[in-house]
Amino acid sequence: TYSISEYVDLMLASTPDNPAPYPFNFNIEKQAPELLADVTPEILYAKSDRVKHPLLPKFMLNGTEVYEIFLGGNGGSFPFLHVDVLFLHTQITQLYGSKDFFLFSPDQTPYMYPREDNAKVSQVDVFNPDYEKFPLFRNANPIKVTVEEGETILFPTKWWHTTQIHEPCISLGRVHLNAANWNDFANDNFLSLQTYRPAVARPALLYAKMLGKLMNLQERIGL
């Protein structure tokens, strides 16, 4: 645990040999709601912002943050190659410094060696792959994108990704939910609820299916 001022000192002193920690899941709605006004106007990736729909219960977004600050320094990287939780689309805006993104399209999933206990996390260390243990990863073809300060990247659900940092860096993440990923979201939410709230898992799935139909109708008629 660090104060912000302590972390900034670590971020500025970070080196590849001694990188600063890479905190994530820093939810500004909870930790710094005064910053929410600074993220408007919102970028919408659909006909409507389903993640903010008044009929979507908060518990159905368990495990993710709608708005998330990422901090890091030179030598830092996200700890694993992954697909985002609940199959949400993801938007990242660089507020300070730059960040390298390594992206793999969904059709490359057979090369990613997903973990048995979490199919959205790869076993492969993308920056130092063990090709003897994971030989199919040689076939993987990443897209590398450097997002500069003031730029935004948006990648759809099921894209494998991780990041690497070479300088002090502050990013803002924002998840998106729309018709394209609604069914995957509903089904993954059901699987998640089965582990920690099993009594509500199936009712939540049925509710999500009905809510999705309502949202489809609202979007068709422009509500």
Side-chain angles (χ1 to χ4, degrees):
T1 301
Y2 305 94
S3 68
I4 289 294
S5 61
E6 290 170 337
Y7 183 80
V8 168
D9 289 340
L10 292 172
M11 181 172 69
L12 295 175
S14 182
T15 66
D17 293 330
N18 187 27
Y22 191 112
F24 53 97
N25 288 346
F26 188 111
N27 184 335
I28 65 171
E29 286 186 288
K30 297 177 182 176
Q31 305 295 334
E34 67 274 12
L35 298 178
L36 289 174
D38 294 335
V39 303
T40 56
E42 300 255 27
I43 300 173
L44 297 185
Y45 179 47
K47 294 181 178 179
S48 68
D49 189 7
R50 291 191 177 191
V51 81
K52 288 295 192 71
H53 195 284
L55 296 180
L56 182 67
K58 294 285 188 182
F59 77 84
M60 293 183 73
L61 291 167
N62 183 67
T64 191
E65 315 293 350
V66 176
Y67 302 97
E68 184 175 357
I69 289 284
F70 298 89
L71 305 167
N74 183 16
S77 62
F78 198 86
F80 43 79
L81 181 64
H82 65 289
V83 170
D84 279 336
V85 68
L86 298 175
F87 293 113
L88 296 166
H89 311 301
T90 300
Q91 166 193 318
I92 304 288
T93 298
Q94 279 303 114
L95 305 180
Y96 186 87
S98 63
K99 179 180 286 187
D100 291 341
F101 286 78
F102 296 82
L103 302 143
F104 299 83
S105 58
D107 61 0
Q108 299 187 67
T109 297
Y111 312 143
M112 298 295 106
Y113 292 91
R115 283 171 29 183
E116 289 187 8
D117 63 328
N118 187 345
K120 292 191 285 296
V121 176
S122 172
Q123 300 176 64
V124 181
D125 178 354
V126 69
F127 303 119
N128 187 28
D130 183 343
Y131 292 119
E132 290 189 7
K133 190 174 182 181
F134 307 114
L136 293 179
F137 193 70
R138 290 185 183 275
N139 299 321
N141 184 26
I143 298 173
K144 180 184 176 183
V145 179
T146 299
V147 182
E148 303 286 352
E149 185 174 316
E151 294 181 337
T152 294
I153 185 172
L154 191 150
F155 44 91
T157 183
K158 299 183 181 180
W159 276 72
W160 295 85
H161 59 282
T162 191
T163 57
Q164 193 172 46
I165 306 170
H166 305 289
E167 61 182 332
C169 174
I170 304 173
S171 311
L172 174 68
R174 188 1 172 134
V175 298
H176 290 272
L177 180 58
N178 60 27
N181 61 337
W182 182 263
N183 287 337
D184 287 322
F185 162 78
N187 292 329
D188 202 46
N189 191 266
F190 168 70
L191 295 176
S192 176
L193 287 170
Q194 281 187 314
T195 64
Y196 75 97
R197 294 183 70 178
V200 302
R202 187 155 295 279
L205 178 62
L206 295 175
Y207 177 78
K209 298 291 186 182
M210 292 187 293
L211 181 58
K213 292 179 180 179
L214 173 63
M215 291 175 174
N216 290 341
L217 177 61
Q218 290 178 324
E219 290 168 7
R220 278 200 300 269
I221 62 179
L223 293 180

